Amino acid sequence: MLRRRSARIGLVLLTLIAGVALFAPWLTHLDPFALTGGPLAPPSAQHLMGTDALGRDVFSGLAWGARTSLFVAISVSTLTMLCGLAVGVMSGYAGGWVDDLLTGVTALLQVIPRFFLVIVAVALAGPGLDRLIITLGLTSWPVLARVVRNDIVALQQMDFVIAAQASGASRARVIWRSLLPHVMPSATVVIGLLLGQILLLEASLGFLGLGDPGTMSWGLIAARAHEFTRVAWWLPLFPGLAICLTVVGINLLVDAYASSRRHC
């Protein structure tokens, strides 16, 4: 019962955030970069979440920023899934020196502090959503690769995999038909957990000024709020709340899914 309730809460939160992102052009007619009001105006009927120091509407920024943040999170998760599955399957199925090499590379990337690695990579690559997505994707796959690799190694000892190999099935067929279907549930849980981390990373990079300055995002809104926290409480509150609710929604759904898999 508790698991179902958590899943429903998570689904409601994510549906709300996704709805705001999808219908942003209809929810607000204001340009998020346009100066549409007085500076640091508190929430009112005209500006539901107030304005920032330059007079830009905070609600418009949050609505359009939801599009950017969710697009980055989904794109990075897709790239992470492709890289993590490829490395994990190749490492676990091939074994030998291939396994040793890929496991070593994975361990090396995990030892390096990820946040600082991302900061250096983004700083060198320069601003831009495409470079941000590629950088986050290429630094987020090691955890998934290790989980997939361990699952593949364990699955190769199962009777149905041995039977498929004995019947003359090709490696590609064994991986695609016998191994991947059993790996995907664990991979989905890992990706779900990484999704929340990616959102926080994207927001942190935007806060540090390493995001795309030409694209509205939650991190960019938070970055321009920190100097006015004492005089304009709404500036840090609303972007922080949006990030928090999204991460909580993702974690609730992932936890419910993982619990249902354990009880299957």
Side-chain angles (χ1 to χ4, degrees), residues 15-248:
T15 301
L16 178 62
I17 298 296
V20 170
L22 183 62
F23 296 106
W26 293 274
L27 291 174
T28 174
H29 62 281
L30 299 175
D31 185 334
F33 288 102
L35 309 183
T36 57
L40 299 179
S44 62
Q46 185 177 3
H47 300 284
L48 295 179
M49 296 182 178
T51 63
D52 65 7
L54 297 179
R56 294 173 293 196
D57 185 66
V58 175
F59 177 70
S60 298
L62 281 180
W64 287 98
R67 285 191 159 196
T68 302
S69 297
L70 292 182
F71 173 74
V72 169
I74 294 172
S75 300
V76 172
S77 298
T78 302
L79 182 57
T80 300
M81 176 72 83
L82 294 175
C83 293
L85 284 176
V87 173
V89 169
M90 190 181 304
S91 176
Y93 194 78
W97 66 270
V98 175
D99 184 26
D100 293 338
L101 176 62
L102 294 178
T103 301
V105 172
T106 302
L108 177 63
L109 289 177
Q110 285 188 290
V111 168
I112 302 175
R114 183 181 170 201
F115 185 65
F116 294 105
L117 178 63
V118 171
I119 288 178
V120 172
V122 171
L124 292 176
L129 280 185
D130 53 347
R131 279 153 287 185
L132 178 64
I133 290 169
I134 292 173
T135 300
L136 289 176
L138 294 181
T139 55
S140 300
W141 58 265
V143 174
L144 176 61
R146 290 184 70 90
V147 171
V148 172
R149 183 259 177 197
N150 293 338
D151 283 352
I152 293 292
V153 171
L155 286 169
Q156 286 191 87
Q157 311 302 320
M158 304 296 288
D159 292 339
F160 67 92
V161 176
I162 296 173
Q165 294 170 334
S167 66
S170 64
R171 288 188 174 185
R173 185 177 178 82
V174 171
I175 291 173
W176 185 258
R177 298 293 297 273
S178 300
L179 295 176
L180 276 183
H182 293 83
V183 166
M184 288 308 297
S186 299
T188 302
V189 172
V190 175
I191 284 294
L193 295 174
L194 287 175
L195 195 59
Q197 296 179 21
I198 292 166
L199 274 171
L200 293 174
L201 269 176
E202 186 273 333
S204 300
L205 291 173
F207 183 82
L208 294 174
L210 295 176
D212 188 346
T215 305
M216 185 60 64
S217 69
W218 290 339
L220 183 62
I221 299 173
R224 66 195 191 197
H226 75 281
E227 296 180 1
F228 307 97
T229 302
R230 293 186 178 181
V231 295
W233 55 266
W234 56 91
L235 288 183
L237 173 64
F238 292 117
L241 192 60
I243 296 170
C244 180
L245 291 178
T246 306
V247 174
V248 168

